[in-house]
């Protein structure tokens, strides 16, 4: 018994354990994490578990309401659209497009933004000032508007949406990482590392980077929700995914003509977008709160 008590008293939780404990103590953040895990699972395995093809039409089941309605059927759990296509199957395939593409776009933007932001953050003088003003000018344009401008030049389509949203989100990563690295560069421990003989690469990787990961993680979670909204908005405006694509924003756009007679064709994909963004924002807020004690 004394040995067990001594071990428990001497045991010190690691920073990762402290972050996880603080995150797990937040019920909303934990709920968001479970929702994000479910979304990720659907984005990966959705096309294989969908009961129907997203383009399969059933003329005998046009505008069939969801199963909880008296006129609905269990076969089409979330109902059908005006062409008899199963909304549940299209929603699962749409998770692969909307959520999966958002993750791919954010990872690509993070990679580019990390490289540019890190290099620019280590700079001083005129070069750093010019880049800061250029980033401020780009960030003054809303990401959706910038994505619309890019798609207007490149043309509609999912391939161009990838580049458009990526170009719109990359300046946000560059700015966040540039500012974080630049602020850490002014700290006393960085000066001490330089006086100890560390070169610029060693200072950046071993001294600055451990204190920048918080900014990278939080910015990534915020960018995922922004990417989902931008992809869905472009699909809704017919600038992104084109019919008969089951992308969530395009599904909302395709269901507008039947909003009064079959509201589920609009509300169900709309709720999917809302829940996805809400879950990711809950995770982002939880991470921000959990990482704050470590930072302070």
């Amino acid at each position: 018994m004394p040995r067990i008590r001594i071990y428990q008293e001497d045991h010190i939780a690691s920073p990762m354990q402290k972050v996880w404990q603080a995150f797990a103590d937040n019920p909303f953040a934990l709920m968001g994490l479970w929702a994000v895990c479910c979304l990720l699972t659907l984005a990966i395995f959705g096309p294989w578990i969908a009961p129907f093809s997203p383009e399969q039409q059933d003329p005998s089941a046009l505008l069939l309401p969801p199963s909880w309605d008296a006129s609905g059927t269990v076969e089409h759990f979330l109902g059908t659209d005006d062409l008899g296509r199963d909304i549940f199957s299209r929603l699962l395939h749409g998770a692969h497009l909307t959520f999966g593409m958002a993750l791919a776009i954010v990872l690509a933007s993070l990679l580019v933004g990390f490289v540019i932001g890190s290099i620019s953050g280590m700079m001083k003088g005129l070069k750093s000032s010019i880049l800061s003003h250029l980033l401020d000018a780009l960030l003054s344009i809303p990401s959706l508007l910038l994505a619309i401008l890019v798609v207007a030049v490149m043309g509609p389509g999912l391939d161009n949406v990838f580049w458009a949203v990526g170009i719109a989100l990359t300046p946000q990563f560059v700015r966040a990482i540039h500012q974080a690295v630049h602020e850490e560069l002014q700290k006393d421990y960085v000066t001490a590392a330089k006086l100890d003989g560390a070169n610029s690469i060693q200072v950046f990787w071993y001294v600055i980077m451990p204190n920048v990961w918080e900014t990278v993680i939080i910015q990534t979670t915020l960018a995922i929700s922004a990417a989902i909204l931008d992809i869905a908005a472009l699909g809704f405006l017919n600038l992104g995914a084109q019919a008969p694509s089951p992308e969530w924003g395009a599904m909302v756009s395709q269901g507008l003509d039947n909003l009064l007679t079959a509201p589920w064709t609009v509300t169900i994909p709309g709720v999917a977008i809302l829940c996805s963004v809400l879950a990711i924002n809950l995770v982002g807020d939880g991470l921000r709160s959990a990482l704050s004690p470590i930072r302070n």
Side-chain angles (χ1 to χ4, degrees):
M1 293 296 294
R3 293 182 179 178
I4 295 176
R5 285 197 296 267
I6 292 173
Y7 172 77
Q8 291 176 344
E9 292 174 357
D10 294 340
H11 177 69
I12 300 176
S14 65
M16 287 298 297
Q17 290 174 328
K18 292 180 180 178
V19 170
W20 170 248
Q21 187 60 47
F23 183 87
D25 289 340
N26 187 336
F28 294 103
L30 207 57
M31 181 175 62
L33 180 61
W34 280 108
V36 170
C37 291
C38 291
L39 282 172
L40 185 60
T41 302
L42 292 178
I44 296 174
F45 301 105
W48 286 273
I49 63 178
F52 300 96
S53 168
E55 300 178 8
Q56 180 179 343
Q57 301 180 13
D58 185 359
S60 63
L62 302 179
L63 296 178
L64 198 66
S67 60
W68 55 81
D69 188 274
S71 303
T73 63
V74 178
E75 184 181 9
H76 298 288
F77 174 65
L78 295 180
T80 60
D81 59 12
D82 57 342
L83 296 177
R85 297 173 297 189
D86 184 65
I87 292 181
F88 180 63
S89 299
R90 289 177 62 79
L91 209 64
L92 292 178
H93 282 82
H96 182 73
L97 292 175
T98 305
F99 190 71
M101 178 175 287
L103 290 178
I105 290 172
V106 169
L107 289 177
S109 300
L110 171 61
L111 179 61
V112 176
F114 179 80
V115 173
I116 299 176
S118 300
I119 295 175
S120 62
M122 296 293 290
M123 294 179 180
K124 295 182 179 179
L126 184 61
K127 294 180 180 179
S128 179
S129 178
I130 292 175
L131 182 61
S132 296
H133 290 301
L134 180 61
L135 289 173
D136 290 338
L138 287 175
L139 291 175
S140 65
I141 306 174
S143 61
L144 178 58
L145 179 58
L146 185 58
I148 291 175
L149 293 175
V150 175
V151 170
V153 174
M154 301 180 64
L158 280 176
D159 293 338
N160 293 338
V161 166
F162 181 91
W163 293 105
V165 179
I167 292 172
L169 293 180
T170 299
Q172 300 179 17
F173 281 104
V174 175
R175 180 61 175 174
I177 297 173
H178 167 85
Q179 186 173 357
V181 172
H182 191 71
E183 289 178 355
E184 294 297 325
L185 200 60
Q186 314 302 321
K187 302 292 180 65
D188 293 337
Y189 64 83
V190 175
T191 304
K194 291 180 179 179
L195 293 175
D196 199 35
N199 57 38
S200 298
I201 297 178
Q202 292 172 333
V203 167
F204 171 75
W205 191 253
Y206 296 105
V207 181
I208 295 178
M209 272 309 302
N211 299 287
V212 176
W213 283 120
E214 175 193 352
T215 300
V216 173
I217 293 172
I218 294 175
Q219 184 63 37
T220 300
T221 57
L222 296 176
I224 294 174
S225 61
I228 292 175
L229 287 175
D230 289 349
I231 293 171
L234 291 173
F236 177 78
L237 296 173
N238 291 323
L239 295 175
Q242 302 295 301
S245 173
E247 193 274 320
W248 291 346
M251 287 179 64
V252 174
S253 177
Q254 295 165 22
L256 281 180
D257 294 337
N258 305 301
L259 178 59
L260 297 179
T261 57
W264 59 87
T265 59
V266 175
T267 56
I268 290 177
V271 168
I273 297 171
L274 172 64
C275 292
S276 301
V277 174
L278 178 60
I280 294 168
N281 286 339
L282 287 176
V283 172
D285 290 339
L287 286 173
R288 186 185 296 106
S289 301
L291 290 168
S292 295
I294 304 299
R295 177 186 59 190
N296 296 332

